[in-house]
Amino acid sequence: MNTNNNILIFFSLGNNSPTKRRTCRKISSFQLYLLFLLLLLFNNSIIGSLALIEGGDKEGGFSSTKGEGSVETPSVENLLQTYRNSSLHARQLASPNGDDIQYTSPWTWVCLESICKRQLARNTVAKVPQNVCWLNCGRFGALWPFPTIKALLGHETIPLYPQNVEVTAIHSPHKAVTAMLGYAGNVLLDSLFRMHPKSEGQSAFPLTSNGRGIERNRMSITLTTESDETKMSLNSDESYSLSVTSAIIGSSVKVQVQIYGATFFGVRHGLESLGQLLAFDEENECLQIVAEAEIEDRPAFKYRGVMVDTSRNFIPILNLKKVVDAMSYNKLNVLHLHLTDSNSFPFYSKRIPYMTTYGAYSASQIYTPKDLKDLILYARLRGVKIIPELDLPAHVGNKKIQNTNWGPLMGLGELAVCVNAEPWRQYCGQPPCGTLNVINNYTYLVMGELYKDMLEVFDNDLFHMGGDEVFFPCWSSRQDMRDWLKNRGTNDYMDLWGYFQGRAFDKLIEANGGKYITPIVWTSDMTNRARHFLHPSDYIIQIWTGATQYEVRELLENKYKVIFSNLDSLYLDHGFGTWLGLDHFWTIKTWQNLYDNDLIKIAEHHLGANSTYYAITTGQILGAEVTLWSEKVDQHNMEMKLWPRSAAFAERMWSSPQNRTITVDARLAHHTNRMKNRGIHTDRLQPESCYQISGYCHDSNSRL
Ligand SMILES: *[C@@H]1O[C@H](CO)[C@@H](O)[C@H](O)[C@H]1NC(C)=O
Ligand SMILES: *[C@@H]1O[C@H](CO)[C@@H](O)[C@H](O)[C@H]1NC(C)=O
Ligand SMILES: *[C@@H]1O[C@H](CO)[C@@H](O)[C@H](O)[C@H]1NC(C)=O
Ligand SMILES: *[C@@H]1O[C@H](CO)[C@@H](O)[C@H](O)[C@H]1NC(C)=O
């Protein structure tokens, strides 16, 4: 270490100049020679030596010459001032008191290997904001989920104000469809105004643009479908094509957009994609749209659902609308409401109001038919169908029903048994217990009326009958049930359940005016070992068991139509801690788990490639649904549990990607940010820095 000191001294002695930079420049050849000798002598510490010269520099190692020269040491303030004067970026931030700073970003974003990356801008005029960079970065730009047939995005973008975007023509064979298309167009136009971060219901976009002529640019949209479908069915064709072209006319640009959809629902998806070809440009306070685009798109799976449980905790209509909004941003198309359970009965039944009187949590926790019809229309206009579930024969009963005994009081006998039975583990899946009294004929009468009420409100081609977690010890604890079975010459309670299911199915069809409606049931002991009660041409089975369970193979082999909600990947409520000491072994399902839940791979595991191909192409595998059971969920934490994980699920279902590459992380981060800007309270994926320095926060060891 002495060596270093020597060098330091050498420097100190060798010049008269007080400022360090000058010192270095003025080293004479003799001095250099001496230095060289010294370095040769102590070459094993050259690097350390040089480092220390630097260190000495910083520590003011030339103190011995201080004050001797003619040039004064600049003050820190002077140095900073020089820096401010010379640095474009710092000058922009300079403000006398720091209160009224005008922050101008020093960054520009550059698309490198399909990811927008942050770089220091060379000049502030041609900066590209992150949002704008993403519009046409990579094959799919900012589109989420990515298009399945064709996606060509031009390299230019056109600046625009939302005031100058218009739906100029709607072509459809039916007045109702035209009206729906007009509405969907307005949903898009409205969202454009709200892209400005300062807009709160009002447009915050400037009308003139400092002579740059942005206000002269126009965009017109044409919407076309030849279908008169106004309700989404399982067979609705959701495909669409979208083209964007731009032409310079005089001193302005005219952008023309054509969206063609096989149905209204296809056009609606096209409008969502169009919204994703537009972004807010913070540099110019305007929108930018990709100047040229050609998109052809259709979903890989027709059923792309989200289930929300509204019984364990009530979810207000307003918040369900936000779920619909977010679903529409992801082209998800089915919202399944687990409407009733043993916890509460929030559905208002006009035929059996006692159900609501004794079943609702409170006056403000009820869905009236009007509320629901409003929600259903809201959803339909956003490409989402709502399916109700009346979960029977288990998952019924309510403390209040038992206490007031309204069944017997009305002369209907006991409608539910084992209500609040203890120890509950013996009688039901979770408390409070309750199962239908399936040998009471009035039970079916009440069910029929409830089916009528629900079908009138929900009005579509699917109905969820529940059918999970029937605990036989409940029924077998009763003499009348035991006798009933004995009289039938059997002691298998599955026969009693099968008898119930048959009558329930008949009641459902009867309530539907004698017309067939497709029922969905959960996997259960019945789908596992008593499938003869459920004919494959009548029922859709929703698989909530693990993806690799043997019963999945049996259902597929027996040609049941299926929807996957395999709990090993699609249960969004898992992993948030226990409420009953039951779920300590459940781990959280990450967005990667959802993204990787490939139905084709699951089916191939069970069936091999050939039969899987058949099962997919014939629509036997309809799709999948994420489930948000609400033991620990209400409107305040619901969105964070749904998003962005369900967005990852959405790309899996719409695009059926082959693999999850590094660009998926970055694209999802961008999409999540967009959802956040649109008012969805999404969970965070990662620190903001990862989004800004896209592609950096990624552990190559943990990839697929
Ligand atoms: C920085 O710029 C200001 C105003 O332009 C000037 O008055 C000042 O002398 C400059 N300071 C230095 C250190 O260059
Ligand atoms: C209950 O209904 C079934 C089927 O409609 C019928 O066969 C049976 O006789 C009824 N039982 C009573 C007690 O009314
Ligand atoms: C799978 O399908 C191909 C082409 O249709 C056929 O050649 C092959 O024999 C099939 N394999 C099996 C195991 O069925
Ligand atoms: C996906 O993986 C396959 C093989 O595993 C590979 O050939 C293909 O290039 C990958 N696709 C992308 C987009 O990375």
Side-chain angles (χ1 to χ4, degrees):
M1 282 328 234
N2 271 338
T3 339
N4 302 326
N5 289 339
N6 289 343
I7 295 174
L8 207 74
I9 291 160
F10 160 70
F11 266 94
S12 301
L13 294 174
N15 74 87
N16 303 319
S17 200
T19 58
K20 301 141 199 173
R21 269 179 207 287
R22 286 177 174 222
T23 308
C24 295
R25 284 192 207 109
K26 282 188 172 174
I27 297 173
S28 71
S29 52
F30 176 66
Q31 287 166 336
L32 272 175
Y33 174 67
L34 275 180
L35 173 61
F36 182 60
L37 275 183
L38 276 165
L39 289 178
L40 270 185
L41 275 171
F42 306 103
N43 64 356
N44 56 344
S45 57
I46 287 175
I47 295 171
S49 308
L50 292 175
L52 212 107
I53 292 170
E54 282 260 318
D57 211 87
K58 279 180 195 135
E59 287 156 20
F62 299 88
S63 53
S64 65
T65 60
K66 213 169 193 177
E68 282 175 23
S70 54
V71 184
E72 289 210 0
T73 307
S75 71
V76 171
E77 247 139 64
N78 267 341
L79 285 171
L80 282 176
Q81 192 56 48
T82 312
Y83 173 71
R84 284 197 199 104
N85 283 9
S86 66
S87 160
L88 193 59
H89 307 304
R91 197 166 59 217
Q92 286 152 357
L93 199 54
S95 150
N97 52 18
D99 290 339
D100 53 353
I101 57 160
Q102 282 286 314
Y103 178 78
T104 306
S105 163
W107 310 112
T108 189
W109 268 264
V110 181
C111 178
L112 295 169
E113 292 168 348
S114 302
I115 293 176
C116 285
K117 299 194 174 165
R118 197 175 78 176
Q119 291 186 352
L120 207 52
R122 288 222 180 77
N123 71 72
T124 48
V125 180
K127 275 190 299 183
V128 180
Q130 191 171 16
N131 270 344
V132 178
C133 172
W134 267 111
L135 282 178
N136 42 22
C137 183
R139 255 181 88 194
F140 305 120
L143 294 166
W144 187 283
F146 68 77
T148 53
I149 305 172
K150 182 178 182 186
L152 298 175
L153 304 173
H155 293 298
E156 305 296 323
T157 62
I158 309 291
L160 273 174
Y161 290 128
Q163 296 87 321
N164 298 332
V165 180
E166 231 188 327
V167 176
T168 43
I170 296 177
H171 307 291
S172 109
H174 197 284
K175 253 176 25 195
V177 176
T178 302
M180 288 171 74
L181 288 171
Y183 181 99
N186 282 339
V187 170
L188 174 76
L189 297 186
D190 191 47
S191 74
L192 301 185
F193 287 102
R194 283 183 285 108
M195 280 186 185
H196 196 296
K198 287 186 189 139
S199 66
E200 280 163 5
Q202 306 259 323
S203 177
F205 286 89
L207 269 169
T208 55
S209 58
N210 313 330
R212 274 169 296 173
I214 295 175
E215 74 284 357
R216 288 195 291 271
N217 297 342
R218 297 251 176 301
M219 170 166 149
S220 66
I221 305 170
T222 304
L223 307 176
T224 308
T225 183
E226 277 147 31
S227 156
D228 62 1
E229 259 180 66
T230 56
K231 281 190 223 167
M232 192 191 292
S233 75
L234 212 43
N235 296 319
S236 291
D237 185 339
E238 297 171 89
S239 63
Y240 72 93
S241 62
L242 163 62
S243 84
V244 181
T245 54
S246 301
I248 297 170
I249 298 172
S251 59
S252 67
V253 182
K254 184 153 170 50
V255 182
Q256 280 197 291
V257 178
Q258 303 270 355
I259 300 177
Y260 173 83
T263 59
F264 161 80
F265 303 99
V267 181
R268 207 292 323 167
H269 293 321
L271 282 163
E272 174 56 39
S273 294
L274 176 59
Q276 299 185 359
L277 296 179
L278 281 145
F280 179 69
D281 172 352
E282 64 186 7
E283 291 299 326
N284 299 297
E285 264 204 303
C286 64
L287 300 177
Q288 295 279 356
I289 177 153
V290 177
E292 308 280 337
E294 287 270 344
I295 294 172
E296 274 178 53
D297 202 6
R298 62 155 180 258
F301 291 94
K302 51 172 114 176
Y303 189 109
R304 306 177 305 280
V306 172
M307 189 216 79
V308 174
D309 173 0
T310 60
S311 169
R312 288 180 172 85
N313 281 303
F314 182 81
I315 312 287
I317 292 280
L318 202 68
N319 300 89
L320 292 176
K321 283 186 177 172
K322 280 193 76 187
V323 175
V324 168
D325 287 340
M327 287 176 71
S328 77
Y329 305 153
N330 289 282
K331 302 190 174 86
L332 291 167
N333 67 352
V334 180
L335 175 58
H336 160 192
L337 299 179
H338 182 79
L339 203 48
T340 73
D341 209 295
S342 58
N343 310 75
S344 78
F345 195 92
F347 175 77
Y348 178 77
S349 164
K350 71 176 190 212
R351 291 181 173 82
I352 315 283
Y354 287 108
M355 291 299 297
T356 320
T357 310
Y358 298 114
Y361 279 139
S362 76
S364 60
Q365 289 168 295
I366 291 172
Y367 301 122
T368 66
K370 187 163 164 281
D371 291 340
L372 288 169
K373 281 183 173 161
D374 177 42
L375 172 68
I376 289 159
L377 182 61
Y378 184 90
R380 183 177 297 166
L381 292 165
R382 287 162 180 78
V384 176
K385 169 164 80 175
I386 303 197
I387 295 180
E389 176 182 352
L390 180 58
D391 192 358
L392 302 175
H395 293 277
V396 301
N398 182 289
K399 194 172 167 45
K400 287 172 181 162
I401 294 178
Q402 191 191 42
N403 289 351
T404 51
N405 253 352
W406 68 269
L409 210 77
M410 303 289 293
L412 301 175
E414 276 184 279
L415 299 169
V417 295
C418 313
V419 175
N420 290 357
E422 289 277 11
W424 61 264
R425 267 173 209 281
Q426 226 167 304
Y427 302 108
C428 62
Q430 70 173 231
C433 286
T435 300
L436 284 183
N437 181 359
V438 293
I439 60 169
N440 176 355
N441 273 354
Y442 290 117
T443 298
Y444 299 97
L445 189 127
V446 170
M447 279 165 51
E449 300 300 285
L450 293 177
Y451 285 144
K452 279 183 212 159
D453 281 339
M454 288 190 176
L455 290 173
E456 268 175 23
V457 171
F458 287 92
D459 185 27
N460 61 39
D461 61 333
L462 298 173
F463 189 91
H464 207 300
M465 299 182 82
D468 59 325
E469 297 184 314
V470 175
F471 277 52
F472 291 156
C474 166
W475 285 338
S476 68
S477 69
R478 297 178 57 94
Q479 187 63 47
D480 53 354
M481 302 260 180
R482 292 198 295 269
D483 291 346
W484 189 95
L485 271 193
K486 210 156 125 204
N487 290 340
R488 297 233 163 182
T490 166
N491 57 8
D492 186 353
Y493 283 86
M494 189 57 83
D495 292 332
L496 181 53
W497 186 2
Y499 162 81
F500 163 81
Q501 191 57 43
R503 285 191 74 177
F505 179 81
D506 293 344
K507 276 287 169 192
L508 178 68
I509 304 302
E510 186 189 312
N512 198 40
K515 277 201 332 269
Y516 173 74
I517 177 167
T518 308
I520 306 173
V521 291
W522 295 106
T523 41
S524 66
D525 279 351
M526 185 180 286
T527 64
N528 201 3
R529 65 179 181 92
R531 283 187 296 272
H532 57 281
F533 291 117
L534 305 165
H535 198 277
S537 63
D538 289 341
Y539 285 90
I540 292 172
I541 312 293
Q542 185 165 7
I543 296 167
W544 66 274
T545 38
T548 54
Q549 297 281 305
Y550 191 72
E551 64 177 297
V552 175
R553 174 175 179 165
E554 289 184 317
L555 289 168
L556 292 173
E557 281 178 350
N558 285 286
K559 301 284 176 264
Y560 284 93
K561 289 201 180 76
V562 296
I563 296 162
F564 279 89
S565 290
N566 46 306
L567 85 174
D568 42 24
S569 291
L570 301 181
Y571 268 40
L572 299 177
D573 56 311
H574 280 189
F576 290 88
T578 162
W579 72 280
L580 244 188
L582 287 178
D583 66 351
H584 57 280
F585 56 91
W586 289 337
T587 54
I588 190 157
K589 312 305 178 240
T590 64
W591 74 261
Q592 290 90 342
N593 295 145
L594 280 102
Y595 197 90
D596 297 344
N597 192 58
D598 186 340
L599 305 189
I600 297 172
K601 284 190 189 139
I602 292 173
E604 280 176 358
H605 168 82
H606 293 294
L607 301 177
N610 273 19
S611 305
T612 295
Y613 178 77
Y614 176 84
I616 300 283
T617 51
T618 58
Q620 186 194 350
I621 297 176
L622 290 165
E625 184 170 282
V626 289
T627 61
L628 188 60
W629 299 100
S630 71
E631 282 90 347
K632 296 176 52 146
V633 172
D634 68 10
Q635 70 268 33
H636 302 292
N637 63 0
M638 173 176 65
E639 288 176 33
M640 163 266 179
K641 288 186 180 179
L642 280 170
W643 315 105
R645 291 186 293 161
S646 302
F649 166 76
E651 183 153 288
R652 165 56 53 203
M653 298 313 297
W654 180 281
S655 317
S656 196
Q658 274 204 325
N659 28 22
R660 178 161 53 80
T661 58
I662 176 176
T663 58
V664 175
D665 297 42
R667 288 175 53 246
L668 182 59
H670 180 67
H671 177 59
T672 302
N673 208 47
R674 177 168 54 207
M675 287 178 70
K676 192 156 57 74
N677 291 342
R678 291 179 180 186
I680 306 301
H681 297 160
T682 65
D683 200 6
R684 292 288 331 187
L685 281 172
Q686 49 189 202
E688 175 82 13
S689 57
C690 295
Y691 173 52
Q692 293 212 348
I693 318 171
S694 261
Y696 180 67
C697 300
H698 151 282
D699 176 2
S700 53
N701 295 325
S702 69
R703 307 309 294 177
L704 282 178

